[in-house]
Amino acid sequence: AQKITQTQPGMFVQEKEAVTLDCTYDTSDPSYGLFWYKQPSSGEMIFLIYQGSYDQQNATEGRYSLNFQKARKSANLVISASQLGDSAMYFCAMREGRLGMGSQGNLIFGKGTKLSVKP
Amino acid sequence: DVKVTQSSRYLVKRTGEKVFLECVQDMDHENMFWYRQDPGLGLRLIYFSYDVKMKEKGDIPEGYSVSREKKERFSLILESASTNQTSMYLCASSFLPGFYNEQFFGPGTRLTVL
């Protein structure tokens, strides 16, 4: 079974509008972290935002916010006021387990969502 | 700023050649990772290393090996390149430990095997 599921292979959004990119995850470990990365056409992966499983509040970083619904195991990325430069692939990723017990900080990635911002 | 560099952005090799992909990070990170990225499959972990001379297999290690002789450098080796290894290869590094610590990625190497 997939650990990270991104159900939207591609999405369009009008410039200046908000957009939500979906991510659901599967883990039985109570300790985990969720990450979102952006990959522009240049290829480099850019870290956007992090949410820990014990964090009480949803993470925010500028125009990015993470809609964390623990019971539903979802960690959707919300981009407010979309810009043309937001056009890119977006990846959701999870780190699970206690550090030092095998994982060594590995990330498990979803298959990504391609976001296209229209002028 | 953390900098992760990869030796080539684009590489073209022939089937059967031995291929070296080099990755260097300048932030004294303990962890280093090699991924391959294919359309529709996301990023898949090939190998990772949490210390000099230490390595662990990821999800798809077959056909690859790695070397970490110095903390800042992590090499991916294709012993005998095949056409199904045509892909984008991404290197990453991170601090250890730290649950929060994100991975910092290099620009990627797009490898074509003919």
Side-chain angles (χ1 to χ4, degrees):
Chain A
Q2 286 187 53
K3 292 263 188 179
I4 296 285
T5 303
Q6 294 181 254
T7 57
Q8 307 149 316
M11 286 193 72
F12 289 91
V13 65
Q14 203 68 39
E15 193 178 9
K16 299 180 186 175
E17 291 186 353
V19 62
T20 298
L21 306 184
D22 294 341
C23 173
T24 56
Y25 58 92
D26 181 25
T27 182
S28 57
D29 200 299
S31 299
Y32 53 90
L34 297 157
F35 299 76
W36 277 92
Y37 282 85
K38 172 185 178 182
Q39 187 181 41
S41 56
S42 58
E44 190 164 351
M45 298 281 281
I46 302 165
F47 166 71
L48 295 177
I49 198 167
Y50 166 82
Q51 179 85 42
S53 60
Y54 295 116
D55 292 344
Q56 295 296 314
Q57 293 190 324
N58 287 347
T60 60
E61 284 288 345
R63 292 187 300 112
Y64 304 107
S65 60
L66 204 152
N67 183 2
F68 182 47
Q69 298 186 45
K70 197 169 181 176
R72 299 176 67 178
K73 294 188 175 178
S74 76
N76 299 339
L77 177 71
V78 180
I79 306 174
S80 63
S82 298
Q83 301 171 357
L84 295 178
D86 294 334
S87 293
M89 283 289 289
Y90 288 81
F91 291 94
C92 179
M94 176 174 66
R95 171 180 292 139
E96 62 181 344
R98 299 174 190 277
L99 286 178
M101 293 181 68
S103 72
Q104 299 293 345
N106 294 349
L107 288 177
I108 304 164
F109 285 85
K111 295 182 179 181
T113 295
K114 184 171 183 179
L115 178 67
S116 300
V117 180
K118 297 188 286 186
Chain B
D1 279 353
V2 176
K3 192 113 175 122
V4 181
T5 57
Q6 295 183 230
S7 48
S8 306
R9 291 301 303 270
Y10 299 94
L11 208 54
V12 180
K13 295 292 182 180
R14 297 215 172 266
T15 302
E17 279 193 75
K18 191 169 186 176
V19 181
F20 292 87
L21 303 183
E22 303 282 336
C23 176
V24 177
Q25 50 93 5
D26 66 358
M27 279 300 290
D28 203 35
H29 284 169
E30 292 85 0
N31 282 348
M32 294 189 77
F33 306 84
W34 274 107
Y35 295 91
R36 67 175 280 175
Q37 182 181 12
D38 301 288
L41 296 178
L43 275 73
R44 293 179 291 168
L45 182 64
I46 305 171
Y47 267 98
F48 67 97
S49 168
Y50 51 89
D51 201 353
V52 176
K53 297 192 185 293
M54 305 299 287
K55 61 184 179 184
E56 293 282 345
K57 292 180 180 179
D59 299 320
I60 51 164
E62 296 78 18
Y64 304 94
S65 62
V66 290
S67 171
R68 193 160 180 208
E69 296 296 318
K70 294 185 177 181
K71 191 174 185 181
E72 68 271 18
R73 188 179 298 267
F74 191 36
S75 302
L76 180 70
I77 303 155
L78 286 65
E79 296 289 343
S80 177
S82 63
T83 54
N84 63 13
Q85 292 178 310
T86 292
S87 187
M88 169 75 113
Y89 290 87
L90 291 164
C91 174
S93 70
S94 71
F95 284 113
L96 171 77
F99 214 69
Y100 160 78
N101 292 323
E102 75 267 30
Q103 292 182 11
F104 295 87
F105 283 82
T109 296
R110 193 170 292 281
L111 173 67
T112 301
V113 183
L114 301 175

